[in-house]
Amino acid sequence: MKTATLAAATLALVASNSMVGSTLAAQGAPAVPAVKPGATAAPPLPPPLSMNEQRFRELQARIGQAGGMTASIRQDAESLASSIDKDLTAATTDRDQMLRLLPARAQLAIWTGDSTAMDAAFEKLLGMTTAPDAVAIAWGRELVADGRPERAVDFLQSRTFATDAAKIDGKIALSEALIAISRFEPAQAALNSAPGPGRTPKQMDQ
């Protein structure tokens, strides 16, 4: 069973593109992450824009309650994926709805082990989003989690990231992909080439 999730970097898109925050929740993790004492709770999700978006949120909550994928949940995930595919090609689906449904479709593909559908959802999202750096980094990390680190390396090396923060995350993701194929010296070189100023404590640890 795959436990990979859309990378946390994509959380930045929730505000900028009205993406579904629950799309990023871990398979097998609670639908609403526990808040540590003193921490600020995440803002509530915006209302769903479609029935299938609501179905996705409900399915994600079921996975959290069940502690992972079950045969019944998998069947429902495959059914929902098929339904979302129809929405994504419908003339009545507007851009805002697409920006909600595409990450959901990618997550469903991750849960069901459909690499082709995952790539298709990420590729389409990458062409529509106003935050392509976050989507690209998320896709690169999911390629590694999907057992395709060589493709992740090629993809991430082909990208030009717009901000220092994205460049740092991109180099970290590239380093992880290189480590996955035992290219340790290039992995270290990738980290060393990341911009130094502006690194967050989390980035400094990686």
Side-chain angles (χ1 to χ4, degrees), residues 88-89 98 102 119-129 139:
L88 291 173
T89 58
M98 294 277 279
L102 283 168
D119 289 345
F122 268 118
E123 184 173 9
K124 191 163 188 176
L125 181 59
L126 192 60
M128 295 183 65
T129 180
W139 190 4

Side-chain angles (χ1 to χ4, degrees), residues 7-194:
T10 319
L11 281 168
L13 301 180
V14 175
S16 63
N17 279 343
S18 300
M19 279 179 59
V20 183
S22 61
T23 304
L24 310 172
Q27 177 179 338
V32 180
V35 178
K36 295 180 180 179
T40 302
L45 293 175
L49 297 179
S50 66
M51 182 66 71
N52 277 335
E53 183 186 346
Q54 178 61 34
R55 288 177 62 194
F56 173 80
R57 295 186 187 192
E58 292 169 356
L59 182 67
Q60 190 262 327
R62 283 176 59 199
I63 291 172
Q65 293 164 0
M69 292 286 282
T70 65
S72 174
I73 292 176
R74 181 184 180 86
Q75 184 176 10
D76 289 344
E78 291 172 346
S79 174
L80 178 55
S82 178
S83 184
I84 288 178
D85 284 341
K86 293 177 182 177
D87 280 355
L88 291 173
T89 58
T92 54
T93 303
D94 63 27
R95 182 177 183 277
D96 287 342
Q97 290 174 321
M98 294 277 279
L99 289 172
R100 299 281 188 95
L101 292 173
L102 283 168
R105 184 63 184 92
Q107 184 66 78
L108 287 164
I110 291 166
W111 284 337
T112 59
D114 188 341
S115 300
T116 300
M118 183 189 81
D119 289 345
F122 268 118
E123 184 173 9
K124 191 163 188 176
L125 181 59
L126 192 60
M128 295 183 65
T129 180
T130 59
D133 284 352
V135 173
I137 291 165
W139 190 4
R141 286 175 170 157
E142 290 305 327
L143 286 170
V144 175
D146 194 44
R148 294 180 287 162
E150 294 91 348
R151 180 170 178 187
V153 169
D154 291 342
F155 173 67
L156 291 167
Q157 286 180 331
S158 73
R159 299 288 305 178
T160 299
F161 297 101
T163 67
D164 280 349
K167 289 174 184 175
I168 294 167
D169 283 334
K171 292 295 186 181
I172 291 170
L174 175 59
S175 176
E176 292 168 350
L178 288 164
I179 289 171
I181 54 176
S182 301
R183 295 180 60 190
F184 301 112
E185 290 186 8
Q188 186 60 55
L191 290 176
N192 292 344
S193 67

